[in-house]
Amino acid sequence: MKPARLIICLAALLGITLAENPANADELVRFESAPVKLSAFRIRKAAEQGEILSQPPGTPLLGYLSRPGGNGPFPAVVVMHGCEGMRPSVKDLWPKRLVSWGYVVLVVDSFTTRNIKDTCRSSLPDRVFDAYGALNFLAKSSFVDIRRVALIGFSTGGTATLEATKIEGNEQLMEHKFKAAVAYYPACGASQGNATVPTLILSGDRDNWSPVEPCRKRLARLGDDAPPIELNLYKGVYHNFDAPEFTAGKRVLGHIEKYNPDAAAKSIRSVYTFLRTSLLK
Protein backbone atom coordinates (compact mmCIF):
# COMPACT_ATOMS: atom_id res chain seq x y z
CA MET A 1 0.00 0.00 0.00
CA LYS A 2 1.32 3.46 -0.88
CA PRO A 3 2.24 5.74 2.08
CA ALA A 4 -0.37 8.38 1.23
CA ARG A 5 -3.14 5.77 1.01
CA LEU A 6 -1.95 4.22 4.29
CA ILE A 7 -2.23 7.59 6.06
CA ILE A 8 -5.76 8.10 4.73
CA CYS A 9 -6.78 4.62 5.88
CA LEU A 10 -5.36 5.20 9.35
CA ALA A 11 -7.15 8.53 9.57
CA ALA A 12 -10.42 6.89 8.58
CA LEU A 13 -9.87 4.18 11.19
CA LEU A 14 -9.51 6.87 13.88
CA GLY A 15 -12.55 8.78 12.65
CA ILE A 16 -10.37 11.73 11.62
CA THR A 17 -10.73 14.01 8.62
CA LEU A 18 -7.62 15.48 7.03
CA ALA A 19 -7.57 19.12 5.94
CA GLU A 20 -5.87 19.84 2.62
CA ASN A 21 -2.86 22.14 2.27
CA PRO A 22 -2.33 23.31 5.87
CA ALA A 23 -0.78 26.79 5.87
CA ASN A 24 1.55 28.76 8.13
CA ALA A 25 2.59 25.73 10.18
CA ASP A 26 4.80 26.40 13.19
CA GLU A 27 5.01 30.16 12.84
CA LEU A 28 6.93 31.57 15.81
CA VAL A 29 4.84 34.25 17.50
CA ARG A 30 5.32 36.52 20.51
CA PHE A 31 2.74 37.60 23.04
CA GLU A 32 2.39 38.24 26.77
CA SER A 33 0.76 36.27 29.53
CA ALA A 34 -2.48 37.80 30.77
CA PRO A 35 -1.56 40.46 33.37
CA VAL A 36 -2.48 39.76 36.98
CA LYS A 37 -5.30 42.22 37.65
CA LEU A 38 -5.16 44.34 40.77
CA SER A 39 -7.75 43.42 43.38
CA ALA A 40 -10.48 45.88 44.35
CA PHE A 41 -9.04 45.94 47.90
CA ARG A 42 -5.57 46.85 46.64
CA ILE A 43 -6.97 49.63 44.46
CA ARG A 44 -9.10 51.02 47.30
CA LYS A 45 -6.20 50.92 49.77
CA ALA A 46 -3.93 52.73 47.31
CA ALA A 47 -6.57 55.43 46.76
CA GLU A 48 -6.90 55.98 50.50
CA GLN A 49 -3.14 56.44 50.78
CA GLY A 50 -2.87 58.65 47.72
CA GLU A 51 -0.81 56.01 45.91
CA ILE A 52 -0.91 55.74 42.13
CA LEU A 53 -0.90 52.15 40.93
CA SER A 54 0.09 50.91 37.49
CA GLN A 55 -1.21 47.68 36.03
CA PRO A 56 1.51 44.97 36.26
CA PRO A 57 2.56 43.85 32.76
CA GLY A 58 2.30 40.29 31.52
CA THR A 59 5.32 38.03 31.00
CA PRO A 60 6.73 37.98 27.43
CA LEU A 61 6.17 34.52 25.93
CA LEU A 62 6.86 32.58 22.74
CA GLY A 63 4.38 30.38 20.92
CA TYR A 64 4.12 28.20 17.83
CA LEU A 65 1.11 28.94 15.64
CA SER A 66 -0.27 26.45 13.10
CA ARG A 67 -3.43 26.77 11.04
CA PRO A 68 -5.44 25.05 8.30
CA GLY A 69 -5.51 26.41 4.79
CA GLY A 70 -8.18 29.03 4.11
CA ASN A 71 -9.38 32.24 5.69
CA GLY A 72 -11.55 30.84 8.49
CA PRO A 73 -12.62 31.80 11.01
CA PHE A 74 -11.66 28.43 12.50
CA PRO A 75 -12.10 27.01 16.00
CA ALA A 76 -8.80 26.91 17.85
CA VAL A 77 -6.83 25.04 20.49
CA VAL A 78 -4.26 26.42 22.94
CA VAL A 79 -1.72 23.74 23.95
CA MET A 80 0.25 23.72 27.24
CA HIS A 81 3.40 21.59 27.59
CA GLY A 82 4.51 19.62 30.64
CA CYS A 83 7.34 20.14 33.14
CA GLU A 84 9.98 18.94 30.67
CA GLY A 85 9.14 21.70 28.18
CA MET A 86 8.55 21.51 24.45
CA ARG A 87 8.87 17.81 23.69
CA PRO A 88 8.33 16.73 20.03
CA SER A 89 4.86 15.21 20.47
CA VAL A 90 3.55 18.46 21.97
CA LYS A 91 5.38 20.88 19.67
CA ASP A 92 4.97 18.94 16.41
CA LEU A 93 2.75 15.85 16.52
CA TRP A 94 -0.30 17.25 18.28
CA PRO A 95 -0.40 20.52 16.28
CA LYS A 96 -0.28 18.59 12.99
CA ARG A 97 -3.04 16.30 14.23
CA LEU A 98 -5.24 19.18 15.38
CA VAL A 99 -4.69 21.20 12.18
CA SER A 100 -5.72 18.15 10.16
CA TRP A 101 -8.98 18.18 12.15
CA GLY A 102 -9.60 21.81 11.20
CA TYR A 103 -8.27 23.76 14.20
CA VAL A 104 -5.88 26.66 14.54
CA VAL A 105 -3.28 25.65 17.13
CA LEU A 106 -1.13 27.80 19.42
CA VAL A 107 1.45 25.90 21.48
CA VAL A 108 2.59 28.03 24.42
CA ASP A 109 6.29 27.98 25.34
CA SER A 110 6.25 28.94 29.02
CA PHE A 111 9.97 28.33 29.61
CA THR A 112 12.26 29.98 27.03
CA THR A 113 11.60 33.61 27.93
CA ARG A 114 11.81 32.73 31.65
CA ASN A 115 15.18 30.95 31.13
CA ILE A 116 13.72 27.72 32.52
CA LYS A 117 14.91 24.33 31.23
CA ASP A 118 12.40 22.22 33.12
CA THR A 119 10.33 22.35 36.28
CA CYS A 120 10.16 18.61 37.01
CA ARG A 121 12.42 19.12 40.03
CA SER A 122 11.54 22.72 40.91
CA SER A 123 8.62 25.05 41.49
CA LEU A 124 6.29 26.02 38.67
CA PRO A 125 5.37 29.49 37.42
CA ASP A 126 1.64 30.26 37.45
CA ARG A 127 0.85 29.20 33.90
CA VAL A 128 -2.87 29.94 34.04
CA PHE A 129 -2.03 33.48 32.93
CA ASP A 130 0.06 32.08 30.05
CA ALA A 131 -3.01 30.22 28.77
CA TYR A 132 -5.15 33.35 28.83
CA GLY A 133 -2.38 35.41 27.25
CA ALA A 134 -2.47 32.94 24.34
CA LEU A 135 -6.26 33.27 24.19
CA ASN A 136 -5.97 37.06 24.09
CA PHE A 137 -3.46 36.74 21.24
CA LEU A 138 -5.82 34.51 19.25
CA ALA A 139 -8.65 37.00 19.81
CA LYS A 140 -6.76 39.46 17.61
CA SER A 141 -6.57 36.98 14.70
CA SER A 142 -9.24 37.30 12.00
CA PHE A 143 -8.93 33.59 11.12
CA VAL A 144 -9.90 32.46 14.67
CA ASP A 145 -13.43 32.14 16.00
CA ILE A 146 -12.68 33.27 19.55
CA ARG A 147 -16.02 31.87 20.74
CA ARG A 148 -14.75 28.33 20.00
CA VAL A 149 -11.34 27.84 21.61
CA ALA A 150 -10.31 24.85 23.74
CA LEU A 151 -7.38 24.50 26.13
CA ILE A 152 -5.35 21.28 26.07
CA GLY A 153 -2.56 20.53 28.54
CA PHE A 154 -0.16 17.66 29.22
CA SER A 155 1.03 16.69 32.71
CA THR A 156 1.73 19.99 34.54
CA GLY A 157 0.20 21.70 31.51
CA GLY A 158 -2.89 19.58 32.16
CA THR A 159 -2.85 20.68 35.78
CA ALA A 160 -2.71 24.31 34.62
CA THR A 161 -5.59 23.56 32.25
CA LEU A 162 -7.80 22.39 35.12
CA GLU A 163 -6.73 25.36 37.23
CA ALA A 164 -7.54 27.77 34.38
CA THR A 165 -11.07 26.43 34.01
CA LYS A 166 -12.17 25.88 37.61
CA ILE A 167 -15.08 27.81 39.02
CA GLU A 168 -14.16 30.83 41.14
CA GLY A 169 -10.61 30.75 39.78
CA ASN A 170 -8.77 33.39 37.76
CA GLU A 171 -10.98 32.58 34.78
CA GLN A 172 -13.58 34.95 36.17
CA LEU A 173 -11.13 37.86 35.81
CA MET A 174 -10.52 37.26 32.11
CA GLU A 175 -12.21 38.99 29.18
CA HIS A 176 -12.07 35.99 26.87
CA LYS A 177 -13.05 32.49 27.99
CA PHE A 178 -12.24 28.96 26.83
CA LYS A 179 -15.09 26.83 25.55
CA ALA A 180 -13.70 23.40 26.54
CA ALA A 181 -10.72 21.81 28.30
CA VAL A 182 -8.68 18.62 27.82
CA ALA A 183 -6.14 17.48 30.42
CA TYR A 184 -3.77 14.58 29.79
CA TYR A 185 -2.57 12.95 33.05
CA PRO A 186 -2.92 16.08 35.24
CA ALA A 187 -2.53 16.37 39.00
CA CYS A 188 -6.16 16.91 39.97
CA GLY A 189 -7.26 18.89 42.99
CA ALA A 190 -9.74 16.75 44.89
CA SER A 191 -11.41 19.87 46.34
CA GLN A 192 -11.20 21.92 43.15
CA GLY A 193 -14.96 21.81 42.65
CA ASN A 194 -16.93 22.51 39.48
CA ALA A 195 -15.43 23.43 36.13
CA THR A 196 -16.50 26.40 34.04
CA VAL A 197 -16.48 24.40 30.77
CA PRO A 198 -16.95 20.79 29.62
CA THR A 199 -13.74 18.96 30.49
CA LEU A 200 -12.06 15.72 29.41
CA ILE A 201 -9.38 14.12 31.63
CA LEU A 202 -7.27 11.23 30.29
CA SER A 203 -5.12 9.21 32.69
CA GLY A 204 -3.45 5.84 33.15
CA ASP A 205 -4.20 3.72 36.22
CA ARG A 206 -0.47 3.03 36.78
CA ASP A 207 0.50 6.69 36.67
CA ASN A 208 2.16 7.60 39.97
CA TRP A 209 3.33 11.01 38.72
CA SER A 210 -0.30 12.11 38.63
CA PRO A 211 -2.42 9.56 40.54
CA VAL A 212 -6.02 9.36 39.38
CA GLU A 213 -7.67 9.13 42.82
CA PRO A 214 -7.86 12.94 43.37
CA CYS A 215 -9.59 13.19 39.97
CA ARG A 216 -12.19 10.66 41.07
CA LYS A 217 -12.75 12.58 44.31
CA ARG A 218 -13.22 15.82 42.41
CA LEU A 219 -15.81 14.25 40.12
CA ALA A 220 -17.70 12.93 43.15
CA ARG A 221 -18.04 16.51 44.43
CA LEU A 222 -19.45 18.10 41.25
CA GLY A 223 -22.69 20.03 41.41
CA ASP A 224 -25.75 18.77 39.56
CA ASP A 225 -25.81 21.75 37.17
CA ALA A 226 -22.06 21.94 36.59
CA PRO A 227 -20.47 21.48 33.15
CA PRO A 228 -19.58 17.79 32.71
CA ILE A 229 -16.12 16.44 33.53
CA GLU A 230 -15.38 13.14 31.80
CA LEU A 231 -12.60 10.90 33.11
CA ASN A 232 -11.12 8.32 30.74
CA LEU A 233 -8.93 5.86 32.64
CA TYR A 234 -6.70 3.41 30.75
CA LYS A 235 -5.69 0.17 32.47
CA GLY A 236 -2.04 -0.82 32.72
CA VAL A 237 -0.96 2.60 31.42
CA TYR A 238 1.70 4.99 32.72
CA HIS A 239 2.45 8.72 32.45
CA ASN A 240 3.05 10.20 28.96
CA PHE A 241 1.20 7.29 27.34
CA ASP A 242 0.32 9.37 24.24
CA ALA A 243 3.94 10.38 23.45
CA PRO A 244 5.85 8.15 20.97
CA GLU A 245 9.19 9.52 22.20
CA PHE A 246 8.64 7.34 25.30
CA THR A 247 8.23 4.10 23.32
CA ALA A 248 11.19 2.48 25.11
CA GLY A 249 9.94 3.63 28.50
CA LYS A 250 11.80 5.86 30.93
CA ARG A 251 12.12 6.14 34.70
CA VAL A 252 12.27 9.71 36.02
CA LEU A 253 12.67 10.39 39.74
CA GLY A 254 11.18 6.97 40.45
CA HIS A 255 8.23 7.42 38.08
CA ILE A 256 7.68 5.42 34.88
CA GLU A 257 6.87 7.25 31.66
CA LYS A 258 5.90 4.95 28.78
CA TYR A 259 4.09 5.23 25.46
CA ASN A 260 1.12 2.92 24.96
CA PRO A 261 -0.07 2.90 21.33
CA ASP A 262 -3.45 1.35 22.11
CA ALA A 263 -4.28 3.84 24.87
CA ALA A 264 -2.88 6.68 22.75
CA ALA A 265 -5.17 5.78 19.83
CA LYS A 266 -8.21 5.48 22.08
CA SER A 267 -7.45 8.81 23.73
CA ILE A 268 -6.97 10.53 20.38
CA ARG A 269 -10.38 9.31 19.24
CA SER A 270 -11.87 10.60 22.49
CA VAL A 271 -10.25 14.01 22.06
CA TYR A 272 -11.42 14.21 18.45
CA THR A 273 -15.03 13.46 19.43
CA PHE A 274 -14.91 15.72 22.49
CA LEU A 275 -13.61 18.72 20.56
CA ARG A 276 -16.03 18.16 17.73
CA THR A 277 -18.94 18.05 20.19
CA SER A 278 -17.70 20.99 22.25
CA LEU A 279 -16.44 23.37 19.54
CA LEU A 280 -17.81 22.52 16.13
CA LYS A 281 -21.37 23.68 16.78
Side-chain angles (χ1 to χ4, degrees), residues 100-119:
S100 78
W101 297 350
Y103 301 98
V104 172
V105 183
L106 178 55
V107 182
V108 181
D109 179 355
S110 291
F111 288 176
T112 297
T113 56
R114 291 185 172 106
N115 295 315
I116 296 174
K117 291 186 177 180
D118 73 68
T119 56

Side-chain angles (χ1 to χ4, degrees), residues 46-76:
E48 291 173 353
Q49 298 175 346
E51 182 183 357
I52 298 176
L53 296 178
S54 58
Q55 175 64 51
T59 302
L61 297 171
L62 300 180
Y64 294 89
L65 182 68
S66 304
R67 52 180 287 200
N71 297 324
F74 302 102

